[in-house]
Amino acid sequence: MNKAGPIGVFDSGYGGLTVLKALTTHLPQYDYLYLGDNARVPYGTRSFETVYQYTLECVEALFAQGCQLVILACNTASAKALRSIQQNDLPKIAPQRRVLGVIRPTTEEAGLLTQNGHLGVLGTTGTVLSNSYPIEIAKFFPTVKVSQEACPMWVPLVENNEHLGPGADYFLSKHLHALLQQDANIDAVILGCTHYPLLQGRLEALTAGKIKFIAQGTLVAQKLTQYLERHPKMAALCSTNGSRQFYTTDDAQVFEEKARLFYGENIQAQHLDLNTIRFTPDA
Ligand code: DGL
């Protein structure tokens, strides 16, 4: 029987901190261990194989730290790596542990977010090309029309703290315009990338408040709450001392400085060298 451990929260960099914030707000009792693969960010422009490989390495690193449940708080990793990890890797290396993503919890609610059935999705190139959102939304809400737009410049704008500057509006407008050209009736837009909640205010201003923009954090937290209620054995494997630990594959000091923007409070981070981590399979 595995020992209870912190809930692992993984992202390619800082973006997943917006999801972690919602998780700690809704489920504060649990221990959380965040891992940002800042040394290899961005994932959004990389191939399926690369995103899968990087994500699996990070999941194994979180398992090695004692996590029994890992949330891929990254849309790109959820779109490109989650299914392979769940179906091919977990049965072999850790049959009792679980890895969950952020796309499914969002798409389960997607049809309830739009009033008129015209929904937009904004995400990285990788997430959009995977078609994960339209495919998943069609399963739950087949009559909802989904249009997507990849916004490759938005993550760098946020990462460089330029997202509220005058230059940012050019790129925000460019992709909003391209999305609305596909479907002018869109009344709700899923922010399908963990960095985009930081752009929400500007996006609302640029569309004069006529479009609802949906950040995922709260949806993911609500769905995780329900998941843990439905799976008491997994809930018992998530330790509850209210602790938060932050790891980055890059420089810890730089991570601490930037993390505040995404997490809203000061944190202490540690460097994690993936080359030194060895996960011994449970099975
Ligand atoms: N966190 C990623 C996502 O949610 C975006 C950042 C990246 O491209 O690595 O899709």
Side-chain angles (χ1 to χ4, degrees):
M1 181 70 187
N2 290 2
K3 213 169 127 251
I7 297 175
V9 180
F10 165 71
D11 184 50
S12 57
Y14 300 105
L17 289 168
T18 60
V19 175
L20 179 65
K21 188 76 201 170
L23 294 177
T24 56
T25 304
H26 284 78
L27 295 162
Q29 69 275 32
Y30 289 105
D31 297 325
Y32 293 92
L33 198 158
Y34 184 89
L35 173 61
D37 193 8
N38 299 80
R40 303 189 292 194
V41 73
Y43 279 21
T45 46
R46 296 190 192 274
S47 70
F48 177 94
E49 192 48 44
T50 303
V51 171
Y52 163 67
Q53 208 51 52
Y54 286 0
T55 305
L56 181 59
E57 282 169 23
C58 290
V59 166
E60 290 194 11
L62 287 165
F63 284 171
Q65 302 291 311
C67 300
Q68 305 294 324
L69 174 64
V70 171
I71 312 290
L72 300 185
C74 173
N75 287 271
T76 312
S78 300
K80 292 183 146 188
L82 179 63
R83 186 179 291 255
S84 301
I85 291 175
Q86 285 176 333
Q87 293 182 354
N88 303 333
D89 297 297
L90 280 188
K92 284 186 230 145
I93 63 169
Q96 282 169 15
R97 307 198 200 207
R98 291 290 172 268
V99 180
L100 306 174
V102 287
I103 294 181
R104 180 73 182 244
T106 311
T107 55
E108 278 176 8
E109 298 296 312
L112 311 173
L113 308 171
T114 163
Q115 303 259 308
N116 66 3
H118 292 257
L119 196 59
V121 176
L122 298 169
T124 64
T125 306
T127 298
V128 168
L129 287 181
S130 77
N131 260 331
S132 298
Y133 274 98
I135 292 168
E136 287 292 318
I137 292 169
K139 286 182 195 159
F140 299 110
F141 305 97
T143 57
V144 169
K145 179 171 160 47
V146 183
S147 307
Q148 335 178 68
E149 168 71 6
C151 314
M153 289 299 289
W154 290 13
V155 167
L157 283 170
V158 174
E159 290 272 326
N160 290 292
N161 208 4
E162 285 290 340
H163 55 292
L164 301 178
D169 279 1
Y170 170 81
F171 288 106
L172 298 186
S173 303
K174 179 179 168 177
H175 293 297
L176 278 175
H177 183 71
L179 181 70
L180 294 173
Q181 269 206 323
Q182 293 178 51
D183 180 358
N185 294 319
I186 288 171
D187 71 342
V189 173
I190 294 172
L191 300 176
C193 170
T194 50
H195 281 64
Y196 297 176
L198 277 79
L199 303 167
Q200 189 162 351
R202 283 310 299 151
L203 292 169
E204 282 163 0
L206 289 167
T207 50
K210 290 195 184 113
I211 293 177
K212 194 163 72 172
F213 290 91
I214 300 119
Q216 298 171 297
T218 303
L219 289 177
V220 174
Q222 285 167 349
K223 293 289 171 183
L224 182 61
T225 307
Q226 293 164 11
Y227 175 88
L228 292 171
E229 280 165 8
R230 283 199 315 274
H231 298 89
K233 278 192 189 148
M234 179 45 70
L237 286 171
C238 299
S239 51
T240 52
N241 302 302
S243 74
R244 284 87 178 96
Q245 294 176 77
F246 298 85
Y247 288 92
T248 172
T249 54
D250 210 342
D251 187 87
Q253 202 181 334
V254 174
F255 187 89
E256 286 173 359
E257 284 159 19
K258 277 212 182 156
R260 194 183 162 78
L261 186 63
F262 296 83
Y263 194 61
E265 55 186 275
N266 290 333
I267 57 135
Q268 284 200 323
Q270 296 171 59
H271 172 72
L272 190 79
D273 183 352
L274 291 176
N275 295 315
T276 63
I277 304 277
R278 288 285 164 270
F279 171 62
T280 315
D282 296 333

